[in-house]
Amino acid sequence: MNKVEHIGIAVRSLADSIPLYEKLLNTTCYKTEEVTTEEVNTAFFKKGETKIELLESISETGVINKFIEKKGEGIHHIAFDVTDIEFEMNRLKQEGFVLLSDTPKQGAENKLVCFLHPKSTNGVLVELCQEKKG
Ligand code: ZN
């Protein structure tokens, strides 16, 4: 676990939320990207070392849509940068944390990602992400 890589925020509409966050953070969105494995459109902002990821569902049945139906818009997950995601996944599994996938998945920004079940982390959805090598 190196640092917080980004904070993920669930939104209903990127079209509405991108201008809002551009005003809030006084910066422009540097990237939007569709992540098909998670059924989301993402938008990224950077301030210093800190990144914010907005997530909009692209399907009725997607996880972000379910999250918003249950809890409304808001903070969805905290992502930590890791050097070796398989090592961290094994370490956390041995420590008793529940992983949501057995192998890393393709995430946004050319990263390998894995989520931890919130029931094992005091209700916080935690994402591990590792920069893909090469
Ligand atoms: Zn994320």
Side-chain angles (χ1 to χ4, degrees):
M1 297 288 208
N2 299 324
K3 60 170 187 176
V4 172
E5 214 284 330
H6 62 267
I7 294 170
I9 298 172
V11 301
R12 284 201 175 83
S13 156
L14 282 187
D16 292 340
S17 303
I18 288 173
L20 181 82
Y21 274 81
E22 286 182 333
K23 267 185 251 169
L24 175 71
L25 300 171
N26 196 22
T27 189
T28 48
C29 169
Y30 72 86
K31 180 187 205 174
T32 58
E33 183 180 350
E34 187 175 318
V35 183
T36 47
T37 55
E38 300 292 328
E39 301 179 89
V40 291
N41 268 326
T42 62
F44 283 91
F45 302 84
K46 193 167 191 181
K47 273 294 189 179
E49 279 278 281
T50 306
K51 287 192 331 202
I52 301 287
E53 173 187 41
L54 301 182
L55 304 131
E56 169 198 69
S57 189
I58 52 174
S59 93
E60 285 282 306
T61 53
V63 286
I64 292 300
N65 208 35
K66 282 185 197 152
F67 177 88
I68 289 176
E69 271 173 21
K70 239 201 297 196
K71 300 186 175 175
E73 294 179 298
I75 293 181
H76 178 257
H77 65 269
I78 299 178
F80 291 93
D81 175 65
V82 300
T83 310
D84 180 341
I85 195 164
E86 308 225 359
F87 174 86
E88 285 296 336
M89 286 168 70
N90 281 326
R91 183 182 73 80
L92 293 168
K93 217 186 282 177
Q94 271 164 28
E95 294 284 2
F97 293 95
V98 180
L99 307 182
L100 289 180
S101 63
D102 291 330
T103 52
K105 294 203 280 185
Q106 177 65 48
E109 298 222 292
N110 196 35
K111 290 185 193 300
L112 292 172
V113 305
C114 177
F115 287 90
L116 306 189
H117 198 294
K119 78 179 176 199
S120 62
T121 50
N122 296 112
V124 177
L125 181 61
V126 170
E127 175 184 7
L128 308 175
C129 57
Q130 179 209 304
E131 193 90 45
K132 264 184 164 176
K133 287 150 197 154

